[in-house]
């Protein structure tokens, strides 16, 4: 058996995380402020190097806990892609696997003592892109991850991951509007969602609209049986006409 050349073993492996949630009607991403070089005092996605004997998934979960204080199991991670440009990290050749997670009502992050971050917090996506670049190639990773989330809204049940356990169709529509960044036709959206099999199911309960004349809104939960929609909810067919 012919051995591999030494250069095949010179890359380090890391995990980077894009954690998305909706806060106050806006899509937010979790960012950290790096406490060490390179890019000290600059904002970045949470993440770090894989340790010996660790899978890349385990490294992602560990780094999320160390840099944000989030306990294991609070968010479910899915892979976005692998980033391996030779100049992405000034320390040398670092291959990163990016992960995406989506969840509602996530807590204010608190970095663990001794971690390599100074601070962590939720940042509206609308506040990014105005000149300040994230560390490394994290702008690209964030852009790819948001694009993946927006696309998955059309073909999967991922939108319910932004919602509480019980929600109204209006709550669900707000998720689509916030993530896609466009207003949707209410009646058309309601019809599409109600006709989508194994997407949401009624709980039999209602929520008061808060108004004197408003009808209570029906509450639903995620069906939870499938992850792919049999009938896609396509963005172009739902955008409200002006």
């Amino acid at each position: 058996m012919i051995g591999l050349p030494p250069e095949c073993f010179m890359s380090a492996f890391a995990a980077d995380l894009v954690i998305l949630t909706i806060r106050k009607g806006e899509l937010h991403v979790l960012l950290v402020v790096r406490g060490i070089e390179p890019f000290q005092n600059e904002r970045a996605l949470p993440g770090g190097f894989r340790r010996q004997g660790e899978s890349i998934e385990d490294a992602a979960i560990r780094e999320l806990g160390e840099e944000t204080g989030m306990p294991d199991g609070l968010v479910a991670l899915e892979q976005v892609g692998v980033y391996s440009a030779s100049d992405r990290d000034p320390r040398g050749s670092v291959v990163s696997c990016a992960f995406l997670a989506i969840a509602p009502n996530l807590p204010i992050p608190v970095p663990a003592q001794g971690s390599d971050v100074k601070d962590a917090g939720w940042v509206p996506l609308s506040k990014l892109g105005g000149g300040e670049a994230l560390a490394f190639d994290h702008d690209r990773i964030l852009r790819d991850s948001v694009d993946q989330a927006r696309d998955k809204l059309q073909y999967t049940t991922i939108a319910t991951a932004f919602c509480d356990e019980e929600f109204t169709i209006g709550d669900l529509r707000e998720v689509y509007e916030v993530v896609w960044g466009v207003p949707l036709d209410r009646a058309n959206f309601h019809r599409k969602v109600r006709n989508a099999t194994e997407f949401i199911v009624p709980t039999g309960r209602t929520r008061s609209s808060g108004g004197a004349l408003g009808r209570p809104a029906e509450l639903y939960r995620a069906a939870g049986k499938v992850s792919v929609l049999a009938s896609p909810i396509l963005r172009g067919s739902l955008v409200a006409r002006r």
Side-chain angles (χ1 to χ4, degrees):
M1 180 176 176
I2 300 176
L4 293 174
E7 58 267 22
C8 292
F9 299 94
M10 294 177 64
S11 292
F13 292 89
D16 290 309
L17 301 113
V18 177
I19 315 298
L20 300 177
T21 194
I22 294 177
R23 301 171 68 86
K24 298 181 179 180
E26 282 196 82
L27 189 61
H28 285 61
V29 63
L30 182 58
L31 296 179
V32 300
V33 178
R34 290 181 55 79
I36 61 173
E37 293 291 353
F39 303 105
Q40 187 173 13
N41 298 321
E42 296 187 28
R43 291 198 290 193
L45 297 170
F49 290 109
R50 183 188 67 171
R51 293 176 179 170
Q52 186 174 4
E54 212 176 29
S55 71
I56 198 67
E57 292 81 5
D58 289 341
I61 294 169
R62 175 182 52 77
E63 287 290 342
L64 182 62
E66 290 178 357
E67 296 193 354
T68 70
M70 289 189 184
D72 291 358
L74 186 61
V75 295
L77 301 175
E78 64 175 82
Q79 288 191 23
V80 175
V82 174
Y83 297 81
S84 58
S86 60
D87 61 349
R88 64 176 306 273
D89 192 314
R91 292 169 293 190
S93 179
V94 177
V95 177
S96 178
C97 183
F99 292 87
L100 169 67
I102 296 171
N105 302 322
L106 292 174
I108 301 296
V110 180
Q113 292 292 328
S115 69
D116 57 3
V117 303
K118 296 176 62 175
D119 195 12
W122 295 104
V123 179
L125 286 187
S126 61
K127 302 297 184 183
L128 299 175
E132 176 193 1
L134 299 181
F136 307 103
D137 55 353
H138 289 183
D139 286 299
R140 179 189 172 193
I141 294 176
L142 175 58
R143 184 170 59 251
D144 290 349
S145 300
V146 172
D147 286 345
Q148 178 167 309
R150 286 171 174 163
D151 190 55
K152 287 174 73 71
L153 251 62
Q154 300 185 101
Y155 303 102
T156 75
T157 60
I158 196 172
T160 58
F162 282 105
C163 296
D164 293 327
E165 185 174 349
E166 295 187 356
F167 51 86
T168 68
I169 291 183
D171 296 334
L172 192 63
R173 189 189 70 253
E174 181 184 0
V175 168
Y176 280 83
E177 290 181 330
V178 169
V179 177
W180 282 346
V182 292
L184 303 180
D185 181 272
R186 295 189 176 194
N188 195 11
F189 180 83
H190 193 285
R191 182 172 60 255
K192 285 273 191 180
V193 169
R194 290 289 299 271
N195 291 338
T197 58
E198 298 186 304
F199 185 18
I200 62 173
V201 292
T203 65
R205 290 181 286 277
T206 60
R207 179 199 297 163
S208 172
S209 64
L213 301 178
R215 293 173 54 189
E218 289 185 84
L219 287 169
Y220 296 81
R221 60 175 175 81
K225 296 180 180 179
V226 297
S227 59
V228 178
L229 292 172
S231 300
I233 299 177
L234 300 179
R235 171 177 170 174
S237 65
L238 295 172
V239 176
R241 296 181 179 180
R242 299 186 178 182

